Amino acid sequence: MIDTFNQIQTRLEATPHLLRLGRLFSETVLIDVDGHEFYLSFEKGRIASVVEGPSRKTPWRFALRTDAEALAMFWQARPAPGFHDIFGLVKIGRGRIDGDILSLVKNLRFFKEVLALPRTNKETAA
């Protein structure tokens, strides 16, 4: 899982429109996958660090909690309904969002697109 978050960090650096969208976002976000915590620290739209937890000392602004299977389905090239969006995960009961929801909503497009970066660009044959 940590490799995927490092891949997100690399892909984000190569995506200028996301760097522009997130230029005002400097927060730490907690991603909890089956109880394993990952802290993504953003500095002006760039991921400054990815740290594996748990840590009671690391403050975070908001958290996305989900399970590994749901996250794997979210990262597919063409996710199934409900797995296409972080709020879709919440709606189908496979995710939960905690913390400062206003901070998430203010930067919603940026965060959703960053989290979707591991999706492959290849279309599957129909």
Side-chain angles (χ1 to χ4, degrees), residues 5-52:
F5 291 120
N6 287 328
Q7 178 187 26
I8 289 173
Q9 185 177 20
T10 303
R11 286 190 178 183
L12 178 58
E13 289 297 324
T15 313
H17 86 276
L18 284 179
L19 295 174
R20 183 184 52 78
L21 277 175
R23 70 188 179 278
L24 300 177
F25 187 66
S26 295
E27 300 290 351
T28 298
V29 176
L30 168 63
I31 308 292
D32 183 328
V33 182
D34 289 328
H36 299 286
E37 297 178 353
F38 302 92
Y39 298 90
L40 280 64
S41 295
F42 290 86
E43 290 289 330
K44 297 181 181 177
R46 287 176 156 64
I47 297 178
S49 67
V50 178
V51 178
E52 193 168 356

